[in-house]
PDB file of all heavy atoms in Angstrom:
ATOM      1  N   ARG Y 320       0.577   8.072   1.387  1.00  0.00           N
ATOM      2  CA  ARG Y 320       0.568   9.363   0.733  1.00  0.00           C
ATOM      3  C   ARG Y 320       0.582  10.442   1.781  1.00  0.00           C
ATOM      4  O   ARG Y 320      -0.216  10.432   2.691  1.00  0.00           O
ATOM      5  CB  ARG Y 320      -0.641   9.491  -0.233  1.00  0.00           C
ATOM      6  CG  ARG Y 320      -0.770  10.891  -0.842  1.00  0.00           C
ATOM      7  CD  ARG Y 320      -1.818  10.951  -1.910  1.00  0.00           C
ATOM      8  NE  ARG Y 320      -1.962  12.306  -2.436  1.00  0.00           N
ATOM      9  CZ  ARG Y 320      -2.422  12.556  -3.601  1.00  0.00           C
ATOM     10  NH1 ARG Y 320      -2.841  11.576  -4.383  1.00  0.00           N
ATOM     11  NH2 ARG Y 320      -2.574  13.765  -4.023  1.00  0.00           N
ATOM     12  N   ALA Y 321       1.474  11.478   1.564  1.00  0.00           N
ATOM     13  CA  ALA Y 321       1.499  12.632   2.483  1.00  0.00           C
ATOM     14  C   ALA Y 321       0.255  13.441   2.272  1.00  0.00           C
ATOM     15  O   ALA Y 321      -0.199  13.634   1.135  1.00  0.00           O
ATOM     16  CB  ALA Y 321       2.759  13.447   2.155  1.00  0.00           C
ATOM     17  N   THR Y 322      -0.345  13.934   3.400  1.00  0.00           N
ATOM     18  CA  THR Y 322      -1.533  14.745   3.288  1.00  0.00           C
ATOM     19  C   THR Y 322      -1.163  16.087   2.665  1.00  0.00           C
ATOM     20  O   THR Y 322      -1.949  16.736   1.974  1.00  0.00           O
ATOM     21  CB  THR Y 322      -2.135  14.975   4.602  1.00  0.00           C
ATOM     22  OG1 THR Y 322      -1.159  15.527   5.528  1.00  0.00           O
ATOM     23  CG2 THR Y 322      -2.683  13.662   5.243  1.00  0.00           C
ATOM     24  N   LYS Y 323       0.082  16.563   2.899  1.00  0.00           N
ATOM     25  CA  LYS Y 323       0.576  17.768   2.254  1.00  0.00           C
ATOM     26  C   LYS Y 323       2.082  17.658   2.189  1.00  0.00           C
ATOM     27  O   LYS Y 323       2.706  17.271   3.161  1.00  0.00           O
ATOM     28  CB  LYS Y 323       0.126  19.006   3.038  1.00  0.00           C
ATOM     29  CG  LYS Y 323       0.509  20.307   2.413  1.00  0.00           C
ATOM     30  CD  LYS Y 323      -0.030  21.506   3.195  1.00  0.00           C
ATOM     31  CE  LYS Y 323       0.322  22.792   2.487  1.00  0.00           C
ATOM     32  NZ  LYS Y 323      -0.252  23.990   3.232  1.00  0.00           N
ATOM     33  N   PHE Y 324       2.633  18.112   1.066  1.00  0.00           N
ATOM     34  CA  PHE Y 324       4.101  18.103   0.941  1.00  0.00           C
ATOM     35  C   PHE Y 324       4.703  19.310   1.627  1.00  0.00           C
ATOM     36  O   PHE Y 324       4.596  20.461   1.166  1.00  0.00           O
ATOM     37  CB  PHE Y 324       4.445  18.085  -0.574  1.00  0.00           C
ATOM     38  CG  PHE Y 324       5.940  17.957  -0.780  1.00  0.00           C
ATOM     39  CD1 PHE Y 324       6.577  16.766  -0.381  1.00  0.00           C
ATOM     40  CD2 PHE Y 324       6.691  18.905  -1.432  1.00  0.00           C
ATOM     41  CE1 PHE Y 324       7.944  16.583  -0.628  1.00  0.00           C
ATOM     42  CE2 PHE Y 324       8.058  18.769  -1.642  1.00  0.00           C
ATOM     43  CZ  PHE Y 324       8.677  17.600  -1.221  1.00  0.00           C
ATOM     44  N   GLY Y 748       2.224  13.343  -2.606  1.00  0.00           N
ATOM     45  CA  GLY Y 748       1.036  14.040  -3.002  1.00  0.00           C
ATOM     46  C   GLY Y 748       1.301  14.940  -4.235  1.00  0.00           C
ATOM     47  O   GLY Y 748       0.584  15.931  -4.473  1.00  0.00           O
ATOM     48  N   LEU Y 749       2.338  14.601  -5.011  1.00  0.00           N
ATOM     49  CA  LEU Y 749       2.701  15.384  -6.166  1.00  0.00           C
ATOM     50  C   LEU Y 749       2.416  14.578  -7.482  1.00  0.00           C
ATOM     51  O   LEU Y 749       2.377  13.342  -7.457  1.00  0.00           O
ATOM     52  CB  LEU Y 749       4.204  15.733  -6.182  1.00  0.00           C
ATOM     53  CG  LEU Y 749       4.695  16.451  -4.888  1.00  0.00           C
ATOM     54  CD1 LEU Y 749       6.174  16.644  -4.962  1.00  0.00           C
ATOM     55  CD2 LEU Y 749       3.968  17.824  -4.732  1.00  0.00           C
ATOM     56  N   SER Y 750       2.260  15.294  -8.621  1.00  0.00           N
ATOM     57  CA  SER Y 750       1.996  14.642  -9.877  1.00  0.00           C
ATOM     58  C   SER Y 750       2.631  15.446 -10.984  1.00  0.00           C
ATOM     59  O   SER Y 750       2.932  16.613 -10.885  1.00  0.00           O
ATOM     60  CB  SER Y 750       0.503  14.486 -10.135  1.00  0.00           C
ATOM     61  OG  SER Y 750      -0.056  15.784 -10.406  1.00  0.00           O
ATOM     62  N   ASP Y 752       1.175  16.505 -13.479  1.00  0.00           N
ATOM     63  CA  ASP Y 752       0.243  17.540 -13.956  1.00  0.00           C
ATOM     64  C   ASP Y 752       0.625  18.980 -13.422  1.00  0.00           C
ATOM     65  O   ASP Y 752       0.160  19.953 -13.944  1.00  0.00           O
ATOM     66  CB  ASP Y 752      -1.186  17.217 -13.570  1.00  0.00           C
ATOM     67  CG  ASP Y 752      -1.719  15.952 -14.283  1.00  0.00           C
ATOM     68  OD1 ASP Y 752      -1.153  15.649 -15.346  1.00  0.00           O
ATOM     69  OD2 ASP Y 752      -2.644  15.340 -13.778  1.00  0.00           O
ATOM     70  N   GLN Y 753       1.386  18.971 -12.324  1.00  0.00           N
ATOM     71  CA  GLN Y 753       1.750  20.224 -11.694  1.00  0.00           C
ATOM     72  C   GLN Y 753       2.855  20.933 -12.434  1.00  0.00           C
ATOM     73  O   GLN Y 753       3.099  22.160 -12.249  1.00  0.00           O
ATOM     74  CB  GLN Y 753       2.193  20.005 -10.278  1.00  0.00           C
ATOM     75  CG  GLN Y 753       1.126  19.525  -9.325  1.00  0.00           C
ATOM     76  CD  GLN Y 753       1.695  19.252  -7.914  1.00  0.00           C
ATOM     77  OE1 GLN Y 753       1.701  18.092  -7.470  1.00  0.00           O
ATOM     78  NE2 GLN Y 753       2.154  20.270  -7.260  1.00  0.00           N
ATOM     79  N   LYS Y 773       2.834  24.233 -10.267  1.00  0.00           N
ATOM     80  CA  LYS Y 773       1.557  24.667  -9.700  1.00  0.00           C
ATOM     81  C   LYS Y 773       1.228  23.926  -8.457  1.00  0.00           C
ATOM     82  O   LYS Y 773       1.734  22.769  -8.266  1.00  0.00           O
ATOM     83  CB  LYS Y 773       0.438  24.502 -10.747  1.00  0.00           C
ATOM     84  CG  LYS Y 773       0.650  25.254 -12.035  1.00  0.00           C
ATOM     85  CD  LYS Y 773      -0.377  24.813 -13.066  1.00  0.00           C
ATOM     86  CE  LYS Y 773      -0.103  25.510 -14.430  1.00  0.00           C
ATOM     87  NZ  LYS Y 773      -1.035  24.980 -15.482  1.00  0.00           N
ATOM     88  N   PRO Y 774       0.394  24.409  -7.581  1.00  0.00           N
ATOM     89  CA  PRO Y 774      -0.039  23.584  -6.406  1.00  0.00           C
ATOM     90  C   PRO Y 774      -0.812  22.364  -6.869  1.00  0.00           C
ATOM     91  O   PRO Y 774      -1.399  22.308  -7.934  1.00  0.00           O
ATOM     92  CB  PRO Y 774      -1.052  24.561  -5.731  1.00  0.00           C
ATOM     93  CG  PRO Y 774      -0.699  25.951  -6.212  1.00  0.00           C
ATOM     94  CD  PRO Y 774      -0.222  25.760  -7.648  1.00  0.00           C
ATOM     95  N   SER Y 775      -0.742  21.338  -6.042  1.00  0.00           N
ATOM     96  CA  SER Y 775      -1.372  20.059  -6.371  1.00  0.00           C
ATOM     97  C   SER Y 775      -2.902  20.173  -6.492  1.00  0.00           C
ATOM     98  O   SER Y 775      -3.532  19.401  -7.197  1.00  0.00           O
ATOM     99  CB  SER Y 775      -0.989  18.965  -5.353  1.00  0.00           C
ATOM    100  OG  SER Y 775      -1.364  19.377  -4.045  1.00  0.00           O
ATOM    101  N   LYS Y 776      -3.445  21.140  -5.785  1.00  0.00           N
ATOM    102  CA  LYS Y 776      -4.910  21.375  -5.837  1.00  0.00           C
ATOM    103  C   LYS Y 776      -5.206  22.625  -6.716  1.00  0.00           C
ATOM    104  O   LYS Y 776      -6.063  23.452  -6.359  1.00  0.00           O
ATOM    105  CB  LYS Y 776      -5.454  21.520  -4.452  1.00  0.00           C
ATOM    106  CG  LYS Y 776      -5.287  20.231  -3.633  1.00  0.00           C
ATOM    107  CD  LYS Y 776      -5.923  20.439  -2.171  1.00  0.00           C
ATOM    108  CE  LYS Y 776      -5.701  19.107  -1.408  1.00  0.00           C
ATOM    109  NZ  LYS Y 776      -6.218  19.230  -0.010  1.00  0.00           N
ATOM    110  N   PHE Y 777      -4.480  22.738  -7.805  1.00  0.00           N
ATOM    111  CA  PHE Y 777      -4.574  23.912  -8.698  1.00  0.00           C
ATOM    112  C   PHE Y 777      -5.970  24.017  -9.257  1.00  0.00           C
ATOM    113  O   PHE Y 777      -6.590  23.036  -9.729  1.00  0.00           O
ATOM    114  CB  PHE Y 777      -3.557  23.835  -9.746  1.00  0.00           C
ATOM    115  CG  PHE Y 777      -3.657  24.921 -10.769  1.00  0.00           C
ATOM    116  CD1 PHE Y 777      -3.197  26.189 -10.467  1.00  0.00           C
ATOM    117  CD2 PHE Y 777      -4.181  24.692 -12.064  1.00  0.00           C
ATOM    118  CE1 PHE Y 777      -3.242  27.234 -11.438  1.00  0.00           C
ATOM    119  CE2 PHE Y 777      -4.283  25.720 -12.973  1.00  0.00           C
ATOM    120  CZ  PHE Y 777      -3.806  26.932 -12.675  1.00  0.00           C
ATOM    121  N   ASP Y 778      -6.556  25.205  -9.262  1.00  0.00           N
ATOM    122  CA  ASP Y 778      -7.852  25.545  -9.863  1.00  0.00           C
ATOM    123  C   ASP Y 778      -7.613  26.650 -10.846  1.00  0.00           C
ATOM    124  O   ASP Y 778      -7.201  27.777 -10.516  1.00  0.00           O
ATOM    125  CB  ASP Y 778      -8.870  26.003  -8.763  1.00  0.00           C
ATOM    126  CG  ASP Y 778     -10.227  26.391  -9.315  1.00  0.00           C
ATOM    127  OD1 ASP Y 778     -10.369  26.324 -10.588  1.00  0.00           O
ATOM    128  OD2 ASP Y 778     -11.075  26.801  -8.554  1.00  0.00           O
ATOM    129  N   GLU Y 779      -7.876  26.334 -12.157  1.00  0.00           N
ATOM    130  CA  GLU Y 779      -7.541  27.316 -13.225  1.00  0.00           C
ATOM    131  C   GLU Y 779      -8.386  28.563 -13.128  1.00  0.00           C
ATOM    132  O   GLU Y 779      -8.051  29.606 -13.744  1.00  0.00           O
ATOM    133  CB  GLU Y 779      -7.743  26.682 -14.556  1.00  0.00           C
ATOM    134  CG  GLU Y 779      -9.122  26.241 -14.888  1.00  0.00           C
ATOM    135  CD  GLU Y 779      -9.297  25.526 -16.231  1.00  0.00           C
ATOM    136  OE1 GLU Y 779      -8.251  25.283 -16.833  1.00  0.00           O
ATOM    137  OE2 GLU Y 779     -10.469  25.321 -16.601  1.00  0.00           O
ATOM    138  N   ASN Y 780      -9.449  28.550 -12.327  1.00  0.00           N
ATOM    139  CA  ASN Y 780     -10.283  29.740 -12.182  1.00  0.00           C
ATOM    140  C   ASN Y 780      -9.865  30.607 -11.025  1.00  0.00           C
ATOM    141  O   ASN Y 780     -10.467  31.647 -10.761  1.00  0.00           O
ATOM    142  CB  ASN Y 780     -11.758  29.324 -12.004  1.00  0.00           C
ATOM    143  CG  ASN Y 780     -12.277  28.597 -13.224  1.00  0.00           C
ATOM    144  OD1 ASN Y 780     -12.060  29.044 -14.342  1.00  0.00           O
ATOM    145  ND2 ASN Y 780     -13.024  27.512 -13.030  1.00  0.00           N
ATOM    146  N   SER Y 781      -8.820  30.180 -10.272  1.00  0.00           N
ATOM    147  CA  SER Y 781      -8.321  30.970  -9.126  1.00  0.00           C
ATOM    148  C   SER Y 781      -7.056  31.630  -9.536  1.00  0.00           C
ATOM    149  O   SER Y 781      -6.401  31.409 -10.495  1.00  0.00           O
ATOM    150  CB  SER Y 781      -8.087  30.028  -7.957  1.00  0.00           C
ATOM    151  OG  SER Y 781      -9.284  29.415  -7.550  1.00  0.00           O
ATOM    152  N   TYR Y 783      -3.183  32.771  -8.012  1.00  0.00           N
ATOM    153  CA  TYR Y 783      -2.203  32.351  -6.994  1.00  0.00           C
ATOM    154  C   TYR Y 783      -1.022  33.330  -6.975  1.00  0.00           C
ATOM    155  O   TYR Y 783      -0.588  33.878  -8.024  1.00  0.00           O
ATOM    156  CB  TYR Y 783      -1.669  30.969  -7.346  1.00  0.00           C
ATOM    157  CG  TYR Y 783      -2.742  29.893  -7.349  1.00  0.00           C
ATOM    158  CD1 TYR Y 783      -3.470  29.608  -8.490  1.00  0.00           C
ATOM    159  CD2 TYR Y 783      -2.997  29.161  -6.171  1.00  0.00           C
ATOM    160  CE1 TYR Y 783      -4.463  28.645  -8.499  1.00  0.00           C
ATOM    161  CE2 TYR Y 783      -3.952  28.177  -6.222  1.00  0.00           C
ATOM    162  CZ  TYR Y 783      -4.711  27.914  -7.363  1.00  0.00           C
ATOM    163  OH  TYR Y 783      -5.674  26.973  -7.355  1.00  0.00           O
ATOM    164  N   ALA Y 811       5.211  25.541  -3.947  1.00  0.00           N
ATOM    165  CA  ALA Y 811       3.886  25.328  -4.639  1.00  0.00           C
ATOM    166  C   ALA Y 811       2.859  24.834  -3.649  1.00  0.00           C
ATOM    167  O   ALA Y 811       1.668  25.303  -3.692  1.00  0.00           O
ATOM    168  CB  ALA Y 811       4.030  24.368  -5.785  1.00  0.00           C
ATOM    169  N   GLU Y 812       3.213  23.907  -2.761  1.00  0.00           N
ATOM    170  CA  GLU Y 812       2.205  23.347  -1.837  1.00  0.00           C
ATOM    171  C   GLU Y 812       1.858  24.317  -0.717  1.00  0.00           C
ATOM    172  O   GLU Y 812       0.893  24.074   0.057  1.00  0.00           O
ATOM    173  CB  GLU Y 812       2.729  22.067  -1.230  1.00  0.00           C
ATOM    174  CG  GLU Y 812       2.863  20.950  -2.290  1.00  0.00           C
ATOM    175  CD  GLU Y 812       1.596  20.747  -3.071  1.00  0.00           C
ATOM    176  OE1 GLU Y 812       0.735  19.979  -2.629  1.00  0.00           O
ATOM    177  OE2 GLU Y 812       1.455  21.331  -4.186  1.00  0.00           O
ATOM    178  N   GLY Y 814       0.872  27.238  -1.710  1.00  0.00           N
ATOM    179  CA  GLY Y 814      -0.145  27.966  -2.423  1.00  0.00           C
ATOM    180  C   GLY Y 814       0.363  28.925  -3.488  1.00  0.00           C
ATOM    181  O   GLY Y 814      -0.387  29.805  -3.937  1.00  0.00           O
ATOM    182  N   TYR Y 815       1.622  28.748  -3.901  1.00  0.00           N
ATOM    183  CA  TYR Y 815       2.183  29.581  -4.932  1.00  0.00           C
ATOM    184  C   TYR Y 815       2.200  28.911  -6.271  1.00  0.00           C
ATOM    185  O   TYR Y 815       2.262  27.677  -6.348  1.00  0.00           O
ATOM    186  CB  TYR Y 815       3.714  29.893  -4.564  1.00  0.00           C
ATOM    187  CG  TYR Y 815       3.890  30.763  -3.343  1.00  0.00           C
ATOM    188  CD1 TYR Y 815       4.075  30.175  -2.109  1.00  0.00           C
ATOM    189  CD2 TYR Y 815       3.956  32.140  -3.403  1.00  0.00           C
ATOM    190  CE1 TYR Y 815       4.264  30.943  -0.964  1.00  0.00           C
ATOM    191  CE2 TYR Y 815       4.136  32.937  -2.311  1.00  0.00           C
ATOM    192  CZ  TYR Y 815       4.281  32.331  -1.031  1.00  0.00           C
ATOM    193  OH  TYR Y 815       4.503  33.084   0.055  1.00  0.00           O
TER     194      TYR Y 815
END
Side-chain angles (χ1 to χ4, degrees):
R320 175 172 177 156
T322 55
K323 185 176 182 179
F324 186 62
L749 305 176
S750 72
D752 294 339
Q753 295 176 245
K773 301 172 186 174
S775 57
K776 297 180 180 179
F777 176 76
D778 179 359
E779 62 182 10
N780 296 316
S781 299
Y783 298 86
E812 293 308 274
Y815 294 91

